[in-house]
Amino acid sequence: MHIFRTLPELREHLGRFHRPAFVPTMGNLHDGHLSLVQQARPLGDVTVASIFVNRLQFLPHEDFDTYPRTWASDCEKLEAAGCDVLFAPDEKTLYPEPQTCKVHPDSALTDILEGHFRPGFFIGVCTVVMKLFTCVQPRTAVFGKKDYQQLMTIRHMVRQFALPIDVVGGETQRAEDGLALSSRNGYLSEAERAEAVQLSKALQSMADAIREGDRDLAAIEARAMQMLTQRGWQPDYLVLRRRTDLQAPEGTEPLVALGAARLGTTRLIDNLEIDR
Ligand code: PAF
C-alpha cells in the first residue's frame, strides 16, 4: 500500500489510473470500514482510502482532541483489506489556510436529526468530503449506511454539483449481539457495551410495530424513547422517516427508523430500513 501525505505526491501517483474507488475515513478503523474498502475494490482500477480527523465537523464540546488516533493498526488493517493507496494529510496540508469557503448542504435534509443536535456538522462533513473528492478525484466513493443522513447528504451534494462520482452505500456491520460497529464503541465501559445493543433493539421494535400494521407513528416513537430512557439512556431522537428525504411520512412510503442516544458519555447512532 502506498501512503501519501501531500497532494502533489497523491496526484502524481493517481494520475496513472482512470477510475479510483474511494473510502474516506477518520481512522480508528473497524470491520465496518474494512467492508467498505472491500466493497470499493471491484468498483475501480485503484482503491484509495483516506484518514483525516476533520476538525470542521466537531462542535467545540465534542471529542476532536480525544478521537482515537490508531495509525499503525489502521495501516495494517487497510493493507490486509487490499487497499492500494492511503491518503493521510495533516491539517496544514488539507487546510493550509482557514477554510472560510465551505459547502452548505441542503438545509431541509441537514438541519434535522443529526444536524439539529450537532449544528454545523454537515457543513464540516460536506466541506471536507468535497475537498477530499478534489484531491482524489474518485469515480466511485463508498460511504457506510450506518451514517444514513450523511450518506443521503453526500448523494445530494454530488447530484447538485454534478460531480462525476457514483456514491455507493455500504451495509452497516454489526457485532454478534447486533450493535452497529462504530469507532465510538471503544468509549463504552464493559457494562455500557453490554447495554449498547438496546439502541438497535429499540429500532427493531419500531420496525416490528410497523410490520405488524401499527400506523400510529408518534406512539411507536414515544414507546421507543421511553424504552431507552427507562434503561438510563438519554435519547436525542428515535423517529420513523421517509427513506427518500428523511421527512415525516405521509402515506405508505418506504421508511427508515433512525436513532441517536447517549449512554453515559458516549453518543451512539443507528438506523434500520423498514420494508413493509
Ligand atoms: O463518516 C466519517 O468517518 C466522516 O464523517 C467522513 C465522511 C470521513 C468525513 O470526515
Side-chain angles (χ1 to χ4, degrees):
M1 181 172 74
H2 297 273
I3 299 176
F4 300 110
R5 293 192 170 274
T6 69
L7 203 39
E9 288 172 317
L10 176 78
R11 287 211 166 125
E12 199 275 318
H13 182 80
L14 290 183
R16 61 197 81 162
F17 300 97
H18 300 288
R19 295 178 299 114
F22 180 41
V23 181
T25 82
M26 297 206 299
N28 192 25
L29 303 180
H30 50 68
D31 285 350
H33 296 109
L34 303 178
S35 80
L36 301 182
V37 171
Q38 268 143 13
Q39 194 172 342
R41 281 179 60 194
L43 303 178
D45 57 357
V46 61
T47 307
V48 185
S50 64
I51 294 181
F52 181 70
V53 185
N54 175 38
R55 187 187 291 275
L56 290 188
Q57 69 191 72
F58 288 79
L59 287 169
H61 67 271
E62 291 183 339
D63 53 345
F64 174 77
D65 288 327
T66 53
Y67 198 84
R69 273 93 170 158
T70 49
W71 173 252
S73 77
D74 287 351
C75 289
E76 270 172 34
K77 288 175 183 173
L78 285 173
E79 178 121 47
C83 181
D84 301 309
V85 171
L86 169 58
F87 180 44
D90 64 11
E91 279 198 288
K92 280 228 152 57
T93 300
L94 213 58
Y95 299 134
E97 54 190 272
Q99 185 70 30
T100 49
C101 186
K102 295 185 179 160
V103 178
H104 286 254
D106 182 53
S107 56
L109 185 56
T110 60
D111 284 355
I112 57 174
L113 306 173
E114 284 306 283
H116 175 76
F117 288 94
R118 304 180 70 191
F121 170 71
F122 287 112
I123 295 173
V125 168
C126 287
T127 302
V128 81
V129 168
M130 180 67 100
K131 200 149 189 181
L132 290 168
F133 280 172
T134 64
C135 297
V136 174
Q137 301 190 13
R139 181 70 190 75
T140 304
V142 187
F143 292 84
K145 281 192 185 177
K146 154 97 173 15
D147 297 295
Y148 204 85
Q149 193 178 3
Q150 169 174 282
L151 171 62
M152 289 186 71
T153 302
I154 304 277
R155 279 209 165 109
H156 187 257
M157 175 182 85
V158 163
R159 197 168 70 236
Q160 289 245 318
F161 285 112
L163 302 179
I165 301 170
D166 290 333
V167 177
V168 174
E171 292 305 324
T172 301
Q173 302 298 307
R174 296 183 181 276
E176 252 175 46
D177 65 351
L179 173 67
L181 298 189
S182 159
S183 298
R184 290 189 169 99
N185 292 350
Y187 295 151
L188 299 168
S189 69
E190 208 176 308
E192 287 169 344
R193 171 62 192 82
E195 172 65 21
V197 67
Q198 296 300 329
L199 176 57
S200 71
K201 287 202 169 152
L203 296 173
Q204 193 64 60
S205 72
M206 296 166 81
D208 290 346
I210 294 290
R211 287 196 196 104
E212 282 158 18
D214 192 341
R215 290 293 169 264
D216 188 347
L217 304 193
I220 297 172
E221 293 172 353
R223 276 201 303 274
M225 288 286 276
Q226 197 188 17
M227 169 182 157
L228 284 189
T229 308
Q230 277 173 349
R231 301 184 66 93
W233 293 65
Q234 293 161 276
D236 282 344
Y237 59 84
L238 283 148
V239 292
L240 292 156
R241 292 293 167 95
R242 295 202 285 241
R243 253 190 254 174
T244 43
D245 57 7
L246 301 186
Q247 301 301 316
E250 279 164 4
T252 55
E253 311 101 309
L255 297 181
V256 56
L258 302 126
R262 210 172 288 278
L263 183 57
T265 54
T266 307
R267 187 172 182 277
L268 300 176
I269 66 170
D270 198 356
N271 64 79
L272 200 59
E273 289 180 332
I274 306 170
D275 296 311
R276 53 176 179 171

